[in-house]
Every structure is written in C-alpha cells, then in structure tokens.
Amino acid sequence: VILGNIGSRNHMRYTAISQHVNLASRLESYSGDGEVIIAQSTLENCTNVSMAEKIMTIIPKGISEPIDVYKVLRITENK
C-alpha cells in the first residue's frame, strides 16, 4: 500500500493506493446497509470472524484471479 500526499503542487490529496485498496472499494459496492463483506483472504486471517456466508465469486477489474466474497454473520471478541 502506498499512503501519503499524492498529486501535483496545485492539487495534493492524502490517500492510499494499491491493489488491496481497489479490492476493498469493489467489495464495498456489494455490501448492503449494515453488512460487512470480506474476501476469503481476510476471512482466513481474521480470528474473530466466527461465522460467515459465501455469497459470490467475483473477478474484479484489475485482478486476474477469482475472489470468493463472504458476508460476515458473527464476530466474537478476541481474548
């Protein structure tokens, strides 16, 4: 992830850019009100997601591999 002030002298903006940021934006477009949507890689690395439902497989623009998308149904507190 590249994070910082990006732009020109006349128009500078603090932002983040990367393939992961783009994927997060694409996933957000699939979520409804109050829903948490995550990719399989996130599900595999989150120890506090105790229940999730696979809702689709997508191939987002700019990514060549299919991504399994899950809706988070339950989160438990990490101890």
Side-chain angles (χ1 to χ4, degrees):
V1 172
I2 296 173
L3 182 65
N5 289 316
I6 299 173
S8 68
R9 186 178 312 175
N10 297 328
H11 183 74
M12 187 75 59
R13 195 170 116 190
Y14 190 79
T15 190
I17 20 181
S18 76
Q19 182 175 341
H20 300 292
V21 174
N22 290 339
L23 176 59
S25 176
R26 305 261 189 262
L27 291 176
E28 182 182 25
S29 71
Y30 291 106
S31 66
D33 289 341
E35 288 183 325
V36 177
I37 304 296
I38 59 175
Q40 182 171 349
S41 59
T42 302
L43 179 61
E44 292 169 355
N45 288 290
C46 285
T47 58
N48 62 336
V49 175
S50 59
M51 187 182 294
E53 172 187 11
K54 182 178 174 183
I55 57 172
M56 68 183 83
T57 300
I58 61 172
I59 301 178
K61 181 179 176 183
I63 299 176
S64 58
E65 297 295 318
I67 306 286
D68 289 333
V69 179
Y70 292 82
K71 178 169 68 170
V72 175
L73 302 174
R74 184 178 304 144
I75 296 174
T76 55
E77 186 177 323
N78 285 337
K79 294 181 181 182

